[in-house]
Amino acid sequence: MNYNQFKEILAKYNDPVVLIEGKRNIPKNYYDKAVKVGEKLAKDFPRLIFRTGNASGTDEAFSLGVKNVDPTRLQIVIPYNSHKKNKRIIGAIYVSPESLSDVAEKEIINQTIKDTPKYKSLIENMNKNASLTAKAKYLIRDTMKVCKYTELFDSPVAALFYVDLSNIESGGTGHTIRVCKNMNIPVIFQDSWENWI
């Protein structure tokens, strides 16, 4: 997708949300590009809201770019309320699965299982021990980033990822990509967005 095509997507919405995230292991040159893309998008689209996780690597790089322009436009979805509390971006909005209503949580859990069925057993047994609980919370968080669950927390209109292009749908990032695809949200990888700067 080129930049003009991306702009055309955003033009259809008043206050669009874009998901910005990817792998924790990101080469330095791509980390720097992600920062620049975050800055460019925040400057070029003053009404654009940015949603990400709280992971090191790609999430951090994109977020830094947005933070440099306007941190109040960052929505950061964390797996639990105390996650990396000492590294919070002042002005950003933080939410976690703990903020979900019972109905919304059930919908997010069902969506998680639907998009990655191999996690069904993990999700169903998440309260059996701390390790399963932690893994499940990260997956639920990854689904939550994509799903609309209140009027103030809409689904993204597009999603930018840094991925392993030889194994795009691996790990938690792969799960988030599957959720996006199943919800018809365009996904854009570094071989496209790196050309926007």
Side-chain angles (χ1 to χ4, degrees):
M1 179 180 297
N2 65 40
Y3 198 56
N4 285 334
Q5 291 169 318
F6 179 71
K7 285 166 70 173
E8 286 171 12
I9 291 172
L10 298 188
K12 298 173 187 174
Y13 303 90
N14 290 329
D15 297 299
V17 176
V18 66
L19 188 60
I20 47 172
E21 65 166 85
K23 296 288 187 188
R24 285 179 174 82
N25 295 325
I26 179 172
K28 174 79 166 75
N29 63 323
Y30 274 104
Y31 185 100
D32 295 342
K33 288 178 183 180
V35 172
K36 288 177 183 172
V37 167
E39 287 178 346
K40 178 176 178 56
L41 296 180
K43 287 175 183 172
D44 289 358
F45 306 102
R47 296 185 64 90
L48 186 58
I49 303 298
F50 299 86
R51 186 173 303 146
T52 191
N54 204 29
S56 56
T58 308
D59 296 17
E60 176 184 71
F62 277 129
S63 296
L64 178 58
V66 176
K67 175 190 162 200
N68 291 343
V69 178
D70 184 359
T72 66
R73 288 159 53 205
L74 275 169
Q75 295 177 343
I76 301 177
V77 187
I78 52 180
Y80 47 90
N81 283 337
S82 60
H83 187 257
K84 294 187 180 179
K85 216 166 193 176
N86 60 338
K87 292 186 175 182
R88 297 270 167 103
I89 297 173
I90 296 170
I93 296 168
Y94 285 81
V95 295
S96 78
E98 294 164 56
S99 66
L100 293 170
S101 69
D102 290 344
V103 171
E105 182 181 35
K106 188 171 184 178
E107 288 174 3
I108 298 287
I109 285 172
N110 289 339
Q111 188 73 43
T112 301
I113 294 169
K114 177 184 167 193
D115 294 320
T116 309
K118 73 177 183 179
Y119 293 139
K120 184 175 192 281
S121 177
L122 168 65
I123 298 292
E124 288 176 344
N125 294 293
M126 66 188 238
N127 294 320
K128 288 195 172 175
N129 64 55
S131 175
L132 290 176
T133 300
K135 288 177 184 175
K137 284 189 177 211
Y138 278 89
L139 287 169
I140 292 166
R141 180 273 312 259
D142 289 341
T143 306
M144 188 177 159
K145 287 183 281 192
V146 184
C147 297
K148 175 179 180 172
Y149 67 89
T150 70
E151 290 304 314
L152 299 175
F153 201 92
D154 211 346
S155 293
V157 300
L160 277 64
F161 293 93
Y162 174 83
V163 295
D164 175 354
L165 290 171
S166 67
N167 191 13
I168 289 171
E169 292 192 9
S170 64
T173 299
H175 169 70
T176 308
I177 290 168
R178 283 189 293 279
V179 179
C180 287
K181 286 181 175 178
N182 289 338
M183 295 182 70
N184 296 313
I185 296 166
V187 294
I188 305 154
F189 304 131
Q190 67 267 22
D191 54 351
S192 290
W193 58 253
E194 69 177 329
N195 298 311
W196 296 358
I197 47 174

